[in-house]
Amino acid sequence: MSFSAVIVAAGSGLRAGPGSPKAWRDLAGRPVLRWSLEALLGAGAREVVVVVAGDRLETAREALVDLPRWRAVPGGAARAGSVRAGLDALDGPDDEVVLIHDAARPFLTRGHVDRLLAGLVDVDGAILALPVADTLKRGSSVVDATVSREGLWRAQTPQAFRLGALRAAYAAWPRDEEPTDDAAVVERVGGKVALTPGDPMLLKLTYPEDFEMAERLAGAARVTRVGQGVDAHRWGPGESVWLCGVEIAHDRTLVGHSDADAGLHALTDAVLGAIADGDIGDHFPPSDPRWRGVSSDRFLAHAVSRVAAIGGRVVHADVTLICEQPRIGPHRQAMRARVAQIMGLALDRVSVKATTTEGMGYTGRGEGLLAQAVVTVETPA
């Protein structure tokens, strides 16, 4: 089922203690907001609108630049205004499903999204909710009464609706009144909202101690994958060779359908292998004339985009070039910089190495060049 999403991240988060707004604080090395965006993209969102404070638009673009299918818009003074801004920015049809999610709930998974989409049948909305398990008390400094918890639920986000219906419900909601959640807005106009199973892991980060707990949980919410790639090309007549995105003057060139950049080809296969997404030949068949002579940076950038599309990211790349000639050392730093640029990585997360086979085998005899690559990728669990 096609769906779009709005992530609300414009609040100041004052209860979380001093420092940046909670959507921009690091959780396991990444901004809290990024966790939710990666999860929604990985669940198949057609488009995600991220609503941030007006002075954070550039921050959002810099922090999320490598992810696809999203855009940032400025939010309102309160949450309802931010949701309205996000809904206004969406370009889907009225009957498209829209998920409204608070950035402060970072441990969103595809399973949560699937439950919401399945629950949005013959109803006007669907929410994730947990039954209240604790005994409830009413009072201030002393207990005035014990309150029955029967039939009470803790609502979570995302919450799912049809885009046109949610827009209409917000249009009818008084501007001077702040709803507690989006389901309340739909309920006010007579909408029927279904309860779907929530998840204790989908906790909301509100207080400083919540971040301490979230750091302990973060490891279980992500999976580290490793992919390996190998590529070889034979030498032929030429005046230069492309290796790891850098052109090197040489008395021969590597022969191939594209530019025969064995380093980038090995990296491409390693990235695709890490997410079990086939190999370079599946995505760019050598029988297709479109790829004849094309620069191999396109192949690697495509593979990285496939990782981003499932809510993942490449975290490290290591490539080894095995050849007698040309000398790689003088070009190593330029190669690292180019690979880092293509993959959207910091320079210290890219390694380029070279070795020989001491005259043995086809690389030792100068018949061809071999490249091996290992790439580490992080994806939602």
Side-chain angles (χ1 to χ4, degrees):
M1 181 185 296
S2 174
F3 73 94
S4 57
V6 172
I7 300 177
V8 183
S12 58
L14 297 178
R15 289 178 292 178
S20 301
K22 57 189 177 184
W24 297 106
R25 298 190 185 187
D26 275 356
L27 174 61
R30 292 179 297 137
V32 167
L33 169 60
R34 187 179 177 108
W35 284 74
S36 294
L37 179 55
E38 288 180 351
L40 287 166
L41 293 172
R46 180 189 63 82
E47 175 188 26
V48 181
V49 172
V50 178
V51 186
V52 300
D55 61 355
R56 292 278 175 173
L57 288 170
E58 188 57 34
T59 302
R61 295 187 186 103
E62 292 175 357
L64 309 172
V65 65
D66 57 313
L67 297 177
R69 307 192 311 277
W70 72 275
R71 52 201 170 100
V73 299
R79 185 183 183 281
S82 293
V83 174
R84 288 187 176 102
L87 294 174
D88 289 344
L90 290 172
D91 60 6
D94 283 349
D95 62 349
E96 183 177 49
V97 175
V98 58
L99 271 56
I100 310 298
H101 184 55
D102 293 325
R105 295 185 187 271
F107 298 132
L108 177 63
T109 69
R110 184 174 194 133
H112 299 138
V113 172
D114 289 344
R115 291 205 289 273
L116 284 172
L117 298 180
L120 197 62
V121 177
D122 299 327
V123 292
D124 303 293
I127 66 171
L128 297 165
L130 292 169
V132 174
D134 296 322
T135 297
L136 298 178
K137 302 288 185 179
R138 179 180 289 116
S140 52
S141 58
V142 297
V143 174
D144 294 331
T146 298
V147 181
S148 173
R149 65 192 180 209
E150 184 177 354
L152 295 182
W153 297 79
R154 294 164 46 203
Q156 300 178 307
T157 69
Q159 299 183 348
F161 312 90
R162 300 289 174 180
L163 178 56
L166 186 57
R167 280 176 173 159
Y170 261 105
W173 187 272
R175 293 276 176 166
D176 59 351
E177 186 177 343
E178 185 68 15
T180 55
D181 70 352
D182 309 293
V185 178
V186 172
E187 294 161 25
R188 176 73 67 87
V189 295
K192 182 179 178 182
V193 177
L195 296 167
T196 63
D199 185 353
M201 275 286 290
L202 200 53
L203 79 162
K204 184 177 182 180
L205 304 181
T206 303
Y207 302 105
E209 54 267 30
D210 296 332
F211 281 83
E212 296 174 12
M213 180 182 295
E215 285 289 347
R216 294 195 292 271
L217 295 172
R222 306 290 289 182
V223 172
T224 299
R225 309 186 189 195
V226 177
Q228 181 184 27
V230 177
D231 192 59
H233 287 276
R234 68 175 63 249
W235 288 110
E239 298 178 349
S240 67
V241 59
W242 283 92
L243 290 171
C244 292
V246 174
E247 187 176 21
I248 302 172
H250 192 49
D251 59 1
R252 291 186 294 172
T253 192
L254 291 173
V255 178
H257 185 65
S258 62
D259 62 3
D261 189 326
L264 294 190
H265 292 181
L267 283 165
T268 301
D269 265 352
V271 174
L272 294 172
I275 59 172
D277 194 19
D279 60 27
I280 192 170
D282 295 325
H283 293 261
F284 303 97
S287 58
D288 190 334
R290 288 182 298 167
W291 312 124
R292 183 174 297 281
V294 74
S295 175
S296 295
D297 57 357
R298 292 178 59 182
F299 304 158
L300 182 55
H302 170 79
V304 172
S305 75
R306 299 285 289 186
V307 176
I310 62 169
R313 62 171 184 155
V314 179
V315 296
H316 186 266
D318 179 24
V319 61
T320 301
L321 302 173
I322 304 168
C323 58
E324 302 293 329
Q325 292 291 334
R327 292 186 60 219
I328 302 302
H331 310 283
R332 185 197 314 271
Q333 293 306 104
M335 291 177 179
R336 291 180 65 211
R338 181 60 181 138
V339 170
Q341 180 184 41
I342 298 168
M343 302 184 78
L345 292 173
L347 187 61
D348 64 0
R349 296 194 174 201
V350 175
S351 171
V352 174
K353 309 188 301 296
T355 190
T356 73
T357 56
E358 301 291 338
M360 298 179 292
Y362 68 87
T363 59
R365 293 190 298 269
E367 297 171 8
L369 178 146
L370 176 68
Q372 298 177 332
V374 177
V375 168
T376 307
V377 170
E378 189 181 72
T379 65

